[in-house]
Amino acid sequence: MTADQARRAWMEGHLEWAAHEFQVQQIGTPVHTSRLHSVGCRVLDDGTNAWLRVVYADPEWGDGDYLDSNVAANEIHDVPKPTVKRWREWHDNDRRMRGELSTFIPDPAISTGMTPTTEPEISDRWLTDLNHALHALAAHPLPGHGTDASYVNDGIRAFFGLEVDIAQVPWTAAHCDLHWANLTAPNLTILDWETWGKAPAGYDAASLLCVTLPYPTLARRLRTALADFLTTPTARTAILTAATRYLRFADTGELTDLAIPIRNLANEFS
């Protein structure tokens, strides 16, 4: 058995245990995230469809109480998203585990990765709904957690040779990981609120634009639909912040096909 196979079996064992603890019936096939950080499946909760997820704490995923973030996101209103109904924690050999039972979202995620392998078919209504959702999220009270200003400043300096004090631009509540694997269609739902928090205004729109660049037509539609976020005086900072994040991925061998188009986009705002 490979290390990945062992990790899958270990996670699915915890999923079965959580189903028993939540008194729900597993009816779906377990779905693992790409790095095997979490696993989930469709369940029946007293005859109603729901989603059961198990995740574990790991230093690779950062410091802080990110395991609590999905529950904390229940406070966010007027944004299409799952709601965590029940949750509990336990430990496995000192590793912190979290189980969450959430409302079931029938529409599938648009992609299995940040960038789709084929161009998504997105309606104008979907883009309008996304614009409304991002406005509602930005209006949420500013949380104390989220993007680290010093980390981003250092990245912008390293990748673009620019001095941008992003602490001096407006910050808003943001999803902070907005890409095509965290969006559903044909009806819009924004998934995975594990890393939501504060970010420079427009950061979510800029992040999604970056991973849409391989599809120029859709990228143009996105820029038009989200113009409220991408044509403001602070859009430059949002774009550079998002570009820095994805270029860091490229430096580690991930999303390398995005490096050149993202640099070209960032050059428009440099």
Side-chain angles (χ1 to χ4, degrees), residues 65-106:
D65 293 327
Y66 60 88
L67 290 191
D68 297 323
S69 292
N70 278 330
V71 174
N74 282 353
E75 304 170 359
I76 298 170
H77 302 293
D78 300 320
V79 176
K81 55 179 291 297
T83 298
V84 180
K85 303 197 295 180
R86 304 196 298 277
W87 64 94
R88 64 164 297 175
E89 290 192 2
W90 62 96
H91 285 81
D92 183 343
N93 292 325
D94 296 325
R95 188 185 292 277
R96 182 182 170 198
M97 311 292 297
R98 164 69 73 103
E100 295 172 342
L101 186 70
S102 300
T103 50
F104 181 71
I105 306 302

Short mmCIF file of all heavy atoms in Angstrom, two decimals, residues 65-106:
data_model
loop_
_atom_site.label_atom_id
_atom_site.label_comp_id
_atom_site.label_asym_id
_atom_site.label_seq_id
_atom_site.Cartn_x
_atom_site.Cartn_y
_atom_site.Cartn_z
N ASP A 65 -6.72 28.99 13.67
CA ASP A 65 -7.88 28.12 13.86
C ASP A 65 -8.65 27.95 12.57
O ASP A 65 -9.87 28.16 12.51
CB ASP A 65 -8.78 28.69 14.95
CG ASP A 65 -8.13 28.64 16.32
OD1 ASP A 65 -7.35 27.70 16.56
OD2 ASP A 65 -8.40 29.54 17.13
N TYR A 66 -7.95 27.57 11.49
CA TYR A 66 -8.63 27.46 10.20
C TYR A 66 -9.67 26.33 10.21
O TYR A 66 -10.60 26.34 9.42
CB TYR A 66 -7.64 27.27 9.05
CG TYR A 66 -6.77 26.04 9.15
CD1 TYR A 66 -7.18 24.83 8.62
CD2 TYR A 66 -5.52 26.10 9.75
CE1 TYR A 66 -6.38 23.71 8.70
CE2 TYR A 66 -4.71 24.99 9.84
CZ TYR A 66 -5.14 23.78 9.31
OH TYR A 66 -4.34 22.67 9.41
N LEU A 67 -9.52 25.35 11.11
CA LEU A 67 -10.53 24.30 11.20
C LEU A 67 -11.88 24.86 11.66
O LEU A 67 -12.92 24.26 11.41
CB LEU A 67 -10.08 23.19 12.14
CG LEU A 67 -8.93 22.29 11.69
CD1 LEU A 67 -8.81 21.09 12.61
CD2 LEU A 67 -9.08 21.84 10.25
N ASP A 68 -11.86 26.00 12.32
CA ASP A 68 -13.10 26.61 12.79
C ASP A 68 -13.75 27.51 11.74
O ASP A 68 -14.85 28.02 11.95
CB ASP A 68 -12.83 27.44 14.05
CG ASP A 68 -12.34 26.60 15.21
OD1 ASP A 68 -12.82 25.46 15.35
OD2 ASP A 68 -11.48 27.08 15.97
N SER A 69 -13.08 27.72 10.62
CA SER A 69 -13.52 28.77 9.69
C SER A 69 -14.84 28.47 9.01
O SER A 69 -15.65 29.37 8.77
CB SER A 69 -12.44 29.02 8.64
OG SER A 69 -11.30 29.60 9.22
N ASN A 70 -15.09 27.19 8.64
CA ASN A 70 -16.37 26.88 8.00
C ASN A 70 -17.54 27.19 8.93
O ASN A 70 -18.57 27.70 8.49
CB ASN A 70 -16.41 25.41 7.59
CG ASN A 70 -15.70 25.15 6.27
OD1 ASN A 70 -15.65 26.02 5.41
ND2 ASN A 70 -15.14 23.97 6.14
N VAL A 71 -17.39 26.88 10.20
CA VAL A 71 -18.45 27.18 11.16
C VAL A 71 -18.59 28.69 11.33
O VAL A 71 -19.70 29.23 11.35
CB VAL A 71 -18.17 26.50 12.51
CG1 VAL A 71 -19.20 26.94 13.56
CG2 VAL A 71 -18.18 24.99 12.35
N ALA A 72 -17.46 29.40 11.44
CA ALA A 72 -17.51 30.86 11.58
C ALA A 72 -18.17 31.51 10.38
O ALA A 72 -18.81 32.56 10.50
CB ALA A 72 -16.10 31.42 11.77
N ALA A 73 -18.05 30.89 9.21
CA ALA A 73 -18.66 31.46 8.00
C ALA A 73 -20.18 31.38 8.01
O ALA A 73 -20.83 31.99 7.16
CB ALA A 73 -18.11 30.76 6.75
N ASN A 74 -20.75 30.64 8.96
CA ASN A 74 -22.21 30.65 9.10
C ASN A 74 -22.74 32.06 9.36
O ASN A 74 -23.92 32.34 9.12
CB ASN A 74 -22.65 29.74 10.24
CG ASN A 74 -22.63 28.26 9.87
OD1 ASN A 74 -22.43 27.90 8.71
ND2 ASN A 74 -22.85 27.40 10.86
N GLU A 75 -21.88 32.95 9.86
CA GLU A 75 -22.29 34.33 10.15
C GLU A 75 -22.51 35.15 8.87
O GLU A 75 -23.12 36.21 8.91
CB GLU A 75 -21.21 35.02 10.98
CG GLU A 75 -20.84 34.33 12.27
CD GLU A 75 -19.61 34.96 12.90
OE1 GLU A 75 -19.05 35.91 12.30
OE2 GLU A 75 -19.21 34.50 13.99
N ILE A 76 -21.96 34.69 7.75
CA ILE A 76 -22.01 35.46 6.50
C ILE A 76 -23.39 35.29 5.86
O ILE A 76 -23.89 34.17 5.72
CB ILE A 76 -20.91 34.99 5.54
CG1 ILE A 76 -19.53 35.24 6.16
CG2 ILE A 76 -21.03 35.68 4.19
CD1 ILE A 76 -18.39 34.60 5.39
N HIS A 77 -23.99 36.40 5.46
CA HIS A 77 -25.34 36.37 4.89
C HIS A 77 -25.34 36.85 3.44
O HIS A 77 -24.44 37.56 2.99
CB HIS A 77 -26.27 37.26 5.72
CG HIS A 77 -26.36 36.85 7.16
ND1 HIS A 77 -26.92 35.66 7.57
CD2 HIS A 77 -25.92 37.46 8.30
CE1 HIS A 77 -26.85 35.56 8.88
NE2 HIS A 77 -26.24 36.64 9.36
N ASP A 78 -26.37 36.42 2.72
CA ASP A 78 -26.61 36.85 1.33
C ASP A 78 -25.51 36.38 0.38
O ASP A 78 -25.30 36.98 -0.69
CB ASP A 78 -26.75 38.38 1.25
CG ASP A 78 -27.91 38.89 2.08
OD1 ASP A 78 -28.96 38.22 2.10
OD2 ASP A 78 -27.75 39.93 2.74
N VAL A 79 -24.81 35.33 0.74
CA VAL A 79 -23.81 34.69 -0.12
C VAL A 79 -24.21 33.23 -0.27
O VAL A 79 -24.40 32.55 0.75
CB VAL A 79 -22.40 34.79 0.47
CG1 VAL A 79 -21.39 34.04 -0.39
CG2 VAL A 79 -21.98 36.25 0.62
N PRO A 80 -24.38 32.72 -1.49
CA PRO A 80 -24.76 31.31 -1.65
C PRO A 80 -23.62 30.39 -1.22
O PRO A 80 -22.57 30.35 -1.86
CB PRO A 80 -25.06 31.19 -3.15
CG PRO A 80 -24.27 32.29 -3.79
CD PRO A 80 -24.22 33.40 -2.79
N LYS A 81 -23.81 29.67 -0.14
CA LYS A 81 -22.76 28.85 0.44
C LYS A 81 -23.39 27.76 1.30
O LYS A 81 -24.55 27.89 1.72
CB LYS A 81 -21.83 29.72 1.30
CG LYS A 81 -22.55 30.50 2.39
CD LYS A 81 -21.61 31.33 3.25
CE LYS A 81 -20.74 30.46 4.10
NZ LYS A 81 -21.54 29.66 5.07
N PRO A 82 -22.64 26.70 1.59
CA PRO A 82 -23.17 25.70 2.52
C PRO A 82 -23.24 26.27 3.94
O PRO A 82 -22.52 27.19 4.29
CB PRO A 82 -22.13 24.57 2.45
CG PRO A 82 -21.30 24.85 1.23
CD PRO A 82 -21.34 26.33 1.05
N THR A 83 -24.10 25.68 4.75
CA THR A 83 -24.21 26.02 6.17
C THR A 83 -23.84 24.79 6.98
O THR A 83 -24.34 23.69 6.72
CB THR A 83 -25.64 26.45 6.52
OG1 THR A 83 -25.98 27.62 5.77
CG2 THR A 83 -25.77 26.75 8.01
N VAL A 84 -22.94 24.97 7.93
CA VAL A 84 -22.57 23.86 8.81
C VAL A 84 -23.67 23.70 9.86
O VAL A 84 -23.97 24.63 10.60
CB VAL A 84 -21.21 24.11 9.49
CG1 VAL A 84 -20.85 22.94 10.40
CG2 VAL A 84 -20.12 24.32 8.44
N LYS A 85 -24.25 22.50 9.90
CA LYS A 85 -25.37 22.24 10.81
C LYS A 85 -24.90 21.71 12.16
O LYS A 85 -25.41 22.10 13.21
CB LYS A 85 -26.35 21.24 10.17
CG LYS A 85 -26.90 21.69 8.82
CD LYS A 85 -28.12 20.90 8.44
CE LYS A 85 -27.82 19.43 8.21
NZ LYS A 85 -29.04 18.67 7.82
N ARG A 86 -23.94 20.79 12.13
CA ARG A 86 -23.40 20.23 13.37
C ARG A 86 -21.92 19.93 13.15
O ARG A 86 -21.49 19.71 12.01
CB ARG A 86 -24.13 18.92 13.76
CG ARG A 86 -25.63 19.09 13.90
CD ARG A 86 -26.27 17.93 14.66
NE ARG A 86 -26.14 16.63 14.03
CZ ARG A 86 -26.95 16.18 13.07
NH1 ARG A 86 -27.91 16.96 12.61
NH2 ARG A 86 -26.80 14.97 12.58
N TRP A 87 -21.17 19.92 14.21
CA TRP A 87 -19.75 19.62 14.11
C TRP A 87 -19.23 19.10 15.44
O TRP A 87 -19.85 19.28 16.48
CB TRP A 87 -18.96 20.87 13.69
CG TRP A 87 -19.00 22.00 14.68
CD1 TRP A 87 -18.11 22.27 15.67
CD2 TRP A 87 -20.01 23.01 14.78
NE1 TRP A 87 -18.48 23.38 16.39
CE2 TRP A 87 -19.66 23.85 15.85
CE3 TRP A 87 -21.18 23.28 14.07
CZ2 TRP A 87 -20.43 24.95 16.23
CZ3 TRP A 87 -21.94 24.36 14.46
CH2 TRP A 87 -21.56 25.18 15.50
N ARG A 88 -18.10 18.44 15.37
CA ARG A 88 -17.44 18.00 16.59
C ARG A 88 -15.97 17.72 16.27
O ARG A 88 -15.59 17.58 15.10
CB ARG A 88 -18.10 16.76 17.19
CG ARG A 88 -18.05 15.50 16.34
CD ARG A 88 -18.36 14.28 17.19
NE ARG A 88 -17.36 14.10 18.23
CZ ARG A 88 -17.43 13.17 19.17
NH1 ARG A 88 -18.46 12.35 19.22
NH2 ARG A 88 -16.47 13.05 20.07
N GLU A 89 -15.15 17.65 17.31
CA GLU A 89 -13.72 17.39 17.14
C GLU A 89 -13.30 16.19 17.97
O GLU A 89 -13.94 15.83 18.96
CB GLU A 89 -12.90 18.61 17.54
CG GLU A 89 -13.02 19.78 16.58
CD GLU A 89 -11.99 20.86 16.84
OE1 GLU A 89 -11.15 20.70 17.75
OE2 GLU A 89 -12.03 21.87 16.12
N TRP A 90 -12.22 15.56 17.54
CA TRP A 90 -11.61 14.47 18.28
C TRP A 90 -10.12 14.42 17.92
O TRP A 90 -9.65 15.24 17.12
CB TRP A 90 -12.30 13.14 17.96
CG TRP A 90 -12.23 12.70 16.53
CD1 TRP A 90 -11.33 11.83 15.96
CD2 TRP A 90 -13.11 13.10 15.46
NE1 TRP A 90 -11.59 11.66 14.61
CE2 TRP A 90 -12.68 12.41 14.28
CE3 TRP A 90 -14.22 13.94 15.38
CZ2 TRP A 90 -13.32 12.57 13.05
CZ3 TRP A 90 -14.85 14.09 14.15
CH2 TRP A 90 -14.40 13.42 13.02
N HIS A 91 -9.39 13.54 18.51
CA HIS A 91 -7.96 13.44 18.25
C HIS A 91 -7.59 12.01 17.86
O HIS A 91 -8.19 11.04 18.34
CB HIS A 91 -7.14 13.86 19.47
CG HIS A 91 -7.11 15.34 19.69
ND1 HIS A 91 -8.15 16.00 20.32
CD2 HIS A 91 -6.19 16.28 19.36
CE1 HIS A 91 -7.86 17.31 20.37
NE2 HIS A 91 -6.68 17.49 19.79
N ASP A 92 -6.63 11.91 16.99
CA ASP A 92 -6.06 10.63 16.60
C ASP A 92 -4.55 10.75 16.76
O ASP A 92 -3.88 11.44 15.96
CB ASP A 92 -6.42 10.30 15.15
CG ASP A 92 -5.89 8.94 14.70
OD1 ASP A 92 -5.00 8.39 15.37
OD2 ASP A 92 -6.38 8.42 13.68
N ASN A 93 -4.00 10.14 17.82
CA ASN A 93 -2.56 10.23 18.09
C ASN A 93 -2.09 11.69 18.09
O ASN A 93 -1.13 12.05 17.40
CB ASN A 93 -1.76 9.42 17.07
CG ASN A 93 -1.99 7.93 17.24
OD1 ASN A 93 -2.17 7.44 18.35
ND2 ASN A 93 -2.01 7.20 16.13
N ASP A 94 -2.80 12.51 18.83
CA ASP A 94 -2.49 13.92 19.00
C ASP A 94 -2.76 14.77 17.76
O ASP A 94 -2.45 15.96 17.75
CB ASP A 94 -1.02 14.12 19.44
CG ASP A 94 -0.74 13.53 20.80
OD1 ASP A 94 -1.65 13.57 21.65
OD2 ASP A 94 0.37 13.03 21.01
N ARG A 95 -3.29 14.17 16.72
CA ARG A 95 -3.68 14.97 15.54
C ARG A 95 -5.13 15.42 15.70
O ARG A 95 -6.01 14.61 15.95
CB ARG A 95 -3.52 14.18 14.25
CG ARG A 95 -3.73 15.05 13.00
CD ARG A 95 -3.71 14.21 11.74
NE ARG A 95 -2.39 13.67 11.48
CZ ARG A 95 -1.41 14.32 10.87
NH1 ARG A 95 -1.60 15.57 10.50
NH2 ARG A 95 -0.26 13.74 10.64
N ARG A 96 -5.35 16.72 15.58
CA ARG A 96 -6.69 17.28 15.73
C ARG A 96 -7.53 16.98 14.49
O ARG A 96 -7.13 17.27 13.36
CB ARG A 96 -6.58 18.79 15.95
CG ARG A 96 -7.90 19.51 16.17
CD ARG A 96 -7.63 21.01 16.32
NE ARG A 96 -8.86 21.79 16.29
CZ ARG A 96 -8.89 23.09 16.05
NH1 ARG A 96 -7.76 23.75 15.84
NH2 ARG A 96 -10.05 23.74 16.03
N MET A 97 -8.71 16.40 14.71
CA MET A 97 -9.62 16.04 13.63
C MET A 97 -10.90 16.86 13.80
O MET A 97 -11.32 17.18 14.92
CB MET A 97 -9.97 14.56 13.67
CG MET A 97 -8.79 13.61 13.80
SD MET A 97 -7.72 13.55 12.34
CE MET A 97 -8.86 12.92 11.09
N ARG A 98 -11.54 17.17 12.69
CA ARG A 98 -12.80 17.92 12.72
C ARG A 98 -13.80 17.24 11.78
O ARG A 98 -13.47 16.96 10.61
CB ARG A 98 -12.56 19.37 12.29
CG ARG A 98 -13.81 20.18 11.90
CD ARG A 98 -14.71 20.49 13.09
NE ARG A 98 -14.13 21.49 13.96
CZ ARG A 98 -14.52 22.77 13.97
NH1 ARG A 98 -15.47 23.19 13.17
NH2 ARG A 98 -13.95 23.61 14.83
N GLY A 99 -15.00 16.99 12.27
CA GLY A 99 -16.08 16.51 11.43
C GLY A 99 -17.16 17.57 11.35
O GLY A 99 -17.50 18.21 12.35
N GLU A 100 -17.69 17.79 10.15
CA GLU A 100 -18.72 18.80 9.93
C GLU A 100 -19.85 18.22 9.08
O GLU A 100 -19.60 17.60 8.04
CB GLU A 100 -18.15 20.02 9.21
CG GLU A 100 -17.11 20.78 10.03
CD GLU A 100 -16.41 21.87 9.25
OE1 GLU A 100 -16.47 21.84 7.99
OE2 GLU A 100 -15.80 22.75 9.88
N LEU A 101 -21.06 18.44 9.52
CA LEU A 101 -22.24 18.06 8.75
C LEU A 101 -22.87 19.33 8.21
O LEU A 101 -23.27 20.20 8.99
CB LEU A 101 -23.23 17.30 9.64
CG LEU A 101 -24.44 16.72 8.91
CD1 LEU A 101 -24.02 15.56 8.02
CD2 LEU A 101 -25.50 16.27 9.91
N SER A 102 -22.92 19.44 6.89
CA SER A 102 -23.36 20.69 6.25
C SER A 102 -24.55 20.43 5.33
O SER A 102 -24.83 19.29 4.94
CB SER A 102 -22.22 21.31 5.43
OG SER A 102 -21.12 21.60 6.24
N THR A 103 -25.20 21.51 4.95
CA THR A 103 -26.27 21.42 3.96
C THR A 103 -25.69 20.88 2.66
O THR A 103 -24.53 21.14 2.31
CB THR A 103 -26.90 22.79 3.72
OG1 THR A 103 -25.87 23.77 3.47
CG2 THR A 103 -27.71 23.23 4.93
N PHE A 104 -26.50 20.12 1.94
CA PHE A 104 -26.05 19.49 0.70
C PHE A 104 -26.24 20.43 -0.48
O PHE A 104 -27.30 21.05 -0.62
CB PHE A 104 -26.83 18.20 0.47
CG PHE A 104 -26.41 17.47 -0.78
CD1 PHE A 104 -25.19 16.82 -0.84
CD2 PHE A 104 -27.24 17.44 -1.89
CE1 PHE A 104 -24.80 16.15 -1.98
CE2 PHE A 104 -26.85 16.77 -3.04
CZ PHE A 104 -25.63 16.12 -3.09
N ILE A 105 -25.22 20.56 -1.30
CA ILE A 105 -25.28 21.39 -2.50
C ILE A 105 -25.39 20.47 -3.71
O ILE A 105 -24.45 19.73 -4.03
CB ILE A 105 -24.02 22.28 -2.62
CG1 ILE A 105 -23.81 23.10 -1.35
CG2 ILE A 105 -24.13 23.17 -3.85
CD1 ILE A 105 -24.96 24.01 -0.99
N PRO A 106 -26.53 20.45 -4.40
CA PRO A 106 -26.72 19.49 -5.50
C PRO A 106 -25.90 19.78 -6.74
O PRO A 106 -25.56 18.86 -7.50
CB PRO A 106 -28.22 19.57 -5.78
CG PRO A 106 -28.62 20.94 -5.31
CD PRO A 106 -27.75 21.24 -4.13
#
